[in-house]
Amino acid sequence: AQRVTQPEKLLSVFKGAPVELKCNYSYSGSPELFWYVQYSRQRLQLLLRHISRESIKGFTADLNKGETSFHLKKPFAQEEDSAMYYCALSRGSTLGRLYFGRGTQLTVWP
Amino acid sequence: DAGVIQSPRHEVTEMGQEVTLRCKPISGHDYLFWYRQTMMRGLELLIYFNNNVPIDDSGMPEDRFSAKMPNASFSTLKIQPSEPRDSAVYFCASRITDTQYFGPGTRLTVL
């Protein structure tokens, strides 16, 4: 069975500090991993996907198959990064659904 | 494109009443998902459709919940009768390829 774990429900950092949101997964196949973000009272939106190996808004995430992790990182957090972040797993683009973690609420203090 | 559209945005009802939430997916998307978001349980998948056919409804809490997708441009989630524990934000999402696009959500309060 597949499972996504985000161990931190809440995470607070000061502006300019590095931030890392943890995501671990369990799946025996080759997963596709995503990070979704939800700013206050807005809809969830895709932040980045591992297959693109892109940096969005300064965030990056590397898929570590050995550690089954997909942590989201940003070297210098900004106040506007405050949001709920969800890690999600797909078993493959043909298999329909995403499996979401419970989410991490990030607060960046001024 | 307005994206995924949901209505109503807010719904306040009394326990025992029927509630119907509506969703219009993005045109051309072949998957549609219904989620429920609460502080306690996070984001839960209730049901999803592929080409208007329900694929997995194992997340639907109980028989009080039902969902339909009569055509490619419309879906409903119905709760009958509603209970206070159903209070949550309900999201609809649609997808094509590997990206899900979420609607703004319906905030449901059952008194």
Side-chain angles (χ1 to χ4, degrees):
Chain A
Q2 55 288 313
R3 186 182 180 93
V4 177
T5 303
Q6 294 179 249
E8 302 141 330
K9 196 168 184 177
L10 302 170
L11 182 63
S12 295
V13 299
F14 285 102
K15 176 183 173 181
V19 62
E20 180 179 70
L21 292 88
K22 291 184 169 53
C23 172
N24 291 91
Y25 68 90
S26 61
Y27 177 53
S28 57
S30 294
E32 295 178 17
L33 275 297
F34 306 83
W35 278 98
Y36 279 77
V37 61
Q38 184 181 23
Y39 300 102
S40 180
R41 297 200 174 268
Q42 294 187 25
R43 63 185 75 192
L44 277 88
Q45 57 188 287
L46 178 67
L47 180 61
L48 54 80
R49 54 172 73 83
H50 91 270
I51 58 174
S52 301
R53 301 188 65 81
E54 56 201 344
S55 174
I56 303 293
K57 299 184 178 182
F59 284 98
T60 59
D62 291 319
L63 179 59
N64 186 323
K65 292 187 178 181
E67 296 182 358
T68 60
S69 68
F70 188 56
H71 302 329
L72 183 68
K73 301 177 183 179
K74 185 169 183 176
F76 307 103
Q78 303 299 313
E79 290 179 67
E80 55 265 30
D81 297 329
S82 296
M84 177 70 86
Y85 291 81
Y86 290 95
C87 182
L89 175 151
S90 169
R91 296 183 298 174
S93 59
T94 62
L95 294 177
R97 63 165 295 179
L98 290 175
Y99 296 85
F100 282 89
R102 294 285 295 271
T104 297
Q105 177 67 49
L106 173 66
T107 301
V108 181
W109 300 103
Chain B
D1 191 345
V4 176
I5 299 172
Q6 290 187 247
S7 65
R9 294 293 307 277
H10 301 273
E11 177 80 31
V12 180
T13 190
E14 293 187 344
M15 182 174 63
Q17 296 298 305
E18 177 181 295
V19 175
T20 300
L21 311 182
R22 297 174 176 79
C23 175
K24 176 178 168 53
I26 295 173
S27 176
H29 285 197
D30 54 356
Y31 282 88
L32 184 138
F33 304 82
W34 281 101
Y35 292 90
R36 179 171 67 177
Q37 183 184 46
T38 61
M39 290 290 290
M40 290 292 292
R41 302 172 69 95
L43 195 63
E44 302 174 274
L45 177 66
L46 300 176
I47 185 172
Y48 75 97
F49 297 83
N50 179 219
N51 292 321
N52 313 339
V53 176
I55 302 301
D56 183 354
D57 66 353
S58 60
M60 296 285 261
E62 48 200 90
D63 292 346
R64 298 185 297 107
F65 285 68
S66 62
K68 295 181 179 179
M69 192 165 186
N71 57 63
S73 59
F74 184 65
S75 177
T76 60
L77 178 67
K78 185 176 293 186
I79 309 173
Q80 166 63 19
S82 58
E83 296 182 3
R85 60 191 167 123
D86 301 331
S87 297
V89 180
Y90 291 81
F91 287 102
C92 175
S94 67
R95 65 158 266 192
I96 192 166
T97 65
D98 66 350
T99 301
Q100 284 193 17
Y101 295 85
F102 284 79
T106 295
R107 184 173 296 274
L108 174 64
T109 302
V110 183
L111 304 175

